[in-house]
Amino acid sequence: MSTSATTANLSLSERMADPNWWRQAAVYQIYPRSFADSNGDGIGDLKGITAKVPYLKDLGIDAVWLSPFYPSALADGGYDVDDYRNVDPKLGTLEDFDEMAAALHAAGIKLVVDIVPNHSSDRHEWFKEALASPKGSAARGRYIFRDGRGENGELPPSDWDSVFGGPIWERITEPDGTPGQWYMHIFAKEQPDFNWENPEIREDFLKTLRFWSDRGVDGFRIDVAHGMAKDLSEPMPMKADLLARAHGTDGFIDGSHPFWDRDEVHEVYAEWRKLFNEYNPPRTAVAEAWVHESRRARYASPEGLGQAFNFDLLQSDFDAASFKKIITDNLVAAAESGASSTWVFSNHDVVRHATRYGLPKGGAVAQGTNAAQDVTATKPKGQDGKAWLLAGAPAGELDIELGLRRARAASLLLLALPGSAYLYQGEELGLREVGEIPDSERQDPSFFRNRGVEIGRDGCRVPLPWTPEGPSFGFGEGSAHLPQPEWFADYAVSTQEGVDGSTLELYRKALRLRRELQTTEELEWVETGTPDVLRFSRSGGWETVTNFGTDPVELPEGAVVVSSGPLEGGKLPSDTTAWVVRGA
């Protein structure tokens, strides 16, 4: 698949009406509670986002992806949703949402919102009704309730673990006060799983998708898109059997896992696609699906969601051979599915890449530690930021300068690739992971429920620094809901604005050039004679060169329009990327 013209040639109205806008979009993820605080309560909000639309426009992005903003107790950072068709009062109102959407659209920026279909919160009106209703009731049929094992039902229906640690089942107290059934929660106990065999669930989510689409939302990011469909037929397999198969040769690539990546989930997405296509332009969707690479295409098919995240670069070390193979494989897969590829290095769930790339290189380790997480066989996992955090974030193991230099080089390479680029708030400032968070200040449930195994994701969710001074570095008039380190002052937006060579100005320049230079969704590798240098050309006469090695290398003929770091005597130094335009 390809596009015939650069987006820079389109007017604002043409860009906003383009049905293919998403194929090579630069999408900026906002974690609302940590972006900008308009009222000084320490929590980011929708008015804060609206106030920063000029910043987002100057950055040069095509779309904003908004992480959950729904009413929530924050048992899992907003991914425990109380009401799918409302705004958390701490973040604003539906009117605030409409104002934000209008401001983004006026700036030529599309809006993508998170949808969380696998589970609700335990405060959702339906779950409260289920707890107050008897066994076998229609209210319980919206969720996954089962009788326990043992003489009196005192044992959970299976021995599976949840992603956040502990049993995947939670026992309830019946309305009459007696110990009762168990409900399933793949994640926290405050996140009961929906029963997607129930037509009422399917109809309600169609209503939700239409509600936000009618309010001007341009697309949806589907959380845990490989969940939802489940086969809990008796007898349920034992945890040990699931782990053995997950680490075996098949890795459940036949879709037979009891609750991950089952084929039936695509029946749901076919219904969603019909709804999306009723709009002009059609609403887009991207799947968060941690599945075997051979299973990813179905999520990205035109009959389904249309696009799926590939997290392969995110999981890789900073390594030329690994990057080249991942890029090549994913472009082939995208072409076969008719989708465009997605590229991402950081998000709200992982250690920031400016930190990962400053750590010693890792190797192949298990992606998960229990039956809920281990869906496929062992996956490669890049420089291990989580292990570093668990060890107390020792300063001696992190090369801050190297990490930022490599992060800048990797990001400039990513922005040159065909397909869509997903950026996480703060990476344009060069922010690294905040490791110095006291246990008493942490918020992520994975830290509390799996202490010693999980450090939590708070370090990448610390509120952004906008100025080098103030109680929260310009995030708001008061303090921030997570502690910010003193070094944030050096990375603040106002500290970097207008400063040649700053990470912020690098992103702004690269995103502007990306819009001007992007054409077809193809690249051609150019042989460099050394395995530590990656070079590829794009149609329209521009090339990208990344030096993963230690010695400076010659650049191709042409004008260097942007580089992630200064050149050395006209040569490209170590851990640096440059874009070269031939004939310029």
Side-chain angles (χ1 to χ4, degrees):
M1 300 293 292
S2 63
T3 52
S4 58
T6 67
T7 55
N9 295 331
L10 301 177
S11 67
L12 173 61
S13 59
E14 287 173 328
R15 282 210 316 269
M16 296 304 283
D18 181 8
N20 293 313
W21 68 266
W22 53 276
R23 298 192 65 88
Q24 298 201 80
V27 184
Y28 183 89
Q29 181 190 359
I30 289 179
Y31 190 73
R33 290 168 174 82
S34 296
F35 187 69
D37 172 16
S38 70
N39 60 7
D41 66 356
I43 300 173
D45 45 46
L46 300 188
K47 283 185 177 293
I49 296 170
T50 303
K52 299 299 184 183
V53 167
Y55 170 81
L56 297 169
K57 182 178 180 180
D58 289 344
L59 185 58
I61 58 168
D62 300 300
V64 158
W65 154 26
L66 197 63
S67 291
F69 52 89
Y70 313 106
S72 171
L74 301 184
D76 183 19
Y79 285 88
D80 47 316
V81 178
D82 299 348
D83 181 351
Y84 287 85
R85 296 189 285 274
N86 212 335
V87 174
D88 191 318
K90 293 189 268 323
L91 273 65
T93 64
L94 282 170
E95 290 72 24
D96 294 334
F97 181 92
D98 294 340
E99 179 185 352
M100 176 195 67
L104 288 168
H105 287 159
I109 298 172
K110 298 279 191 175
L111 177 58
V112 176
V113 301
D114 237 310
I115 290 292
V116 188
N118 180 72
H119 48 263
S120 74
S121 83
D122 60 353
R123 305 196 313 176
H124 192 288
E125 62 179 3
W126 278 357
F127 191 72
K128 291 190 289 186
E129 182 184 356
L131 295 182
S133 300
K135 172 182 171 180
S137 63
R140 289 208 184 168
R142 299 182 184 121
Y143 293 89
I144 300 174
F145 281 87
R146 293 290 186 274
D147 292 334
R149 296 175 295 138
E151 184 177 349
N152 299 303
E154 69 277 9
L155 300 176
S158 72
D159 67 345
W160 304 337
D161 293 330
S162 75
V163 169
F164 291 153
I168 207 170
W169 300 95
E170 182 75 10
R171 197 174 195 186
I172 69 166
T173 299
E174 297 291 349
D176 64 2
T178 61
Q181 287 191 297
W182 300 70
Y183 68 87
M184 185 177 182
H185 57 92
I186 291 178
F187 296 93
K189 66 179 182 179
E190 294 88 354
Q191 295 168 289
D193 283 24
F194 280 123
N195 172 19
W196 273 87
E197 292 183 0
N198 188 326
E200 193 174 2
I201 301 299
R202 298 195 181 205
E203 286 300 319
D204 197 68
F205 269 90
L206 290 172
K207 183 177 180 180
T208 293
L209 295 170
R210 194 176 298 282
F211 177 88
W212 294 112
S213 295
D214 289 345
R215 294 194 99 89
V217 165
D218 302 287
F220 301 90
R221 178 262 189 187
I222 313 304
D223 183 64
V224 195
H226 58 308
M228 300 155 63
K230 298 174 176 69
D231 179 7
L232 304 183
S233 303
E234 298 288 352
M236 297 186 206
M238 299 296 290
K239 175 173 61 176
D241 296 330
L242 294 181
L243 286 169
R245 279 200 60 192
H247 292 286
T249 56
D250 68 358
F252 288 108
I253 59 174
D254 60 353
S256 63
H257 194 281
F259 52 86
W260 286 137
D261 188 33
R262 296 191 60 81
D263 292 341
E264 304 94 283
V265 76
H266 298 288
E267 299 171 8
V268 174
Y269 298 140
E271 291 181 345
W272 290 14
R273 174 47 55 191
K274 290 178 182 177
L275 184 151
F276 295 152
N277 288 347
E278 293 175 12
Y279 291 85
N280 185 25
R283 297 317 187 227
T284 66
V286 58
E288 183 211 22
W290 294 85
V291 299
H292 191 275
E293 58 188 17
S294 66
R295 309 263 309 168
R296 192 180 297 149
R298 292 190 66 181
Y299 293 88
S301 74
E303 296 77 27
L305 296 175
Q307 198 174 48
F309 278 118
N310 95 68
F311 298 108
D312 301 339
L313 282 179
L314 185 153
Q315 295 182 97
S316 172
D317 285 336
F318 186 80
D319 178 83
S322 177
F323 270 44
K324 184 174 183 179
K325 184 178 188 309
I326 287 168
I327 292 167
T328 301
D329 290 350
N330 280 283
L331 288 177
V332 169
E336 290 176 349
S337 70
S340 66
S341 193
T342 61
W343 311 106
V344 58
F345 285 123
S346 288
N347 62 34
H348 65 295
D349 281 333
V350 301
V351 175
R352 289 185 178 272
H353 63 294
T355 290
R356 300 199 310 268
Y357 293 156
L359 296 170
K361 288 188 177 181
V365 299
Q367 180 70 16
T369 57
N370 60 48
Q373 294 166 295
D374 286 306
V375 185
T376 63
T378 298
K379 302 175 184 177
K381 186 176 181 183
Q383 283 147 307
D384 199 343
K386 189 177 85 168
W388 176 74
L389 290 171
L390 281 168
E397 292 184 12
L398 175 64
D399 188 328
I400 295 172
E401 181 181 345
L402 176 65
L404 179 57
R405 189 165 70 246
R406 287 178 168 176
R408 287 163 56 106
S411 294
L412 194 55
L413 182 154
L414 176 145
L415 290 172
L417 293 171
S420 56
Y422 282 80
L423 313 175
Y424 180 52
Q425 65 178 41
E427 71 169 80
E428 78 277 14
L429 305 178
L431 293 186
R432 61 185 183 270
E433 191 81 359
V434 177
E436 53 268 51
I437 300 177
D439 289 358
S440 60
E441 299 286 339
R442 290 196 174 274
Q443 299 175 5
D444 192 340
S446 65
F447 168 74
F448 297 102
R449 294 181 173 123
N450 218 357
R451 192 171 292 210
V453 176
E454 296 289 343
I455 193 62
R457 299 157 291 181
D458 296 314
C460 65
R461 300 177 178 185
V462 175
L464 296 189
W466 294 92
T467 63
E469 65 281 318
S472 58
F473 298 103
F475 168 69
E477 294 181 358
S479 59
H481 68 92
L482 280 169
Q484 301 160 298
E486 290 301 317
W487 54 263
F488 261 29
D490 298 329
Y491 293 76
V493 170
S494 65
T495 301
Q496 299 193 45
E497 279 188 316
V499 177
D500 188 39
S502 71
T503 304
L504 175 58
E505 294 302 334
L506 170 66
Y507 269 74
R508 285 175 170 175
K509 185 174 185 179
L511 285 163
R512 174 178 58 79
L513 288 168
R514 184 179 192 270
R515 182 172 286 175
E516 295 174 1
L517 295 170
Q518 286 275 28
T519 53
T520 60
E521 294 174 31
E522 300 153 342
L523 64 73
E524 182 177 347
W525 292 107
V526 179
E527 183 56 49
T528 64
T530 171
D532 290 329
V533 177
L534 293 188
R535 175 181 169 186
F536 60 84
S537 64
R538 300 286 308 275
S539 61
W542 63 300
E543 295 192 14
T544 297
V545 185
T546 303
N547 183 4
F548 291 81
T550 56
D551 299 322
V553 297
E554 297 285 351
L555 285 165
E557 292 185 6
V560 176
V561 293
V562 64
S563 64
S564 64
L567 305 182
E568 295 182 2
K571 292 185 177 182
L572 187 70
S574 174
D575 303 317
T576 308
T577 296
W579 294 2
V580 180
V581 176
R582 299 188 297 273

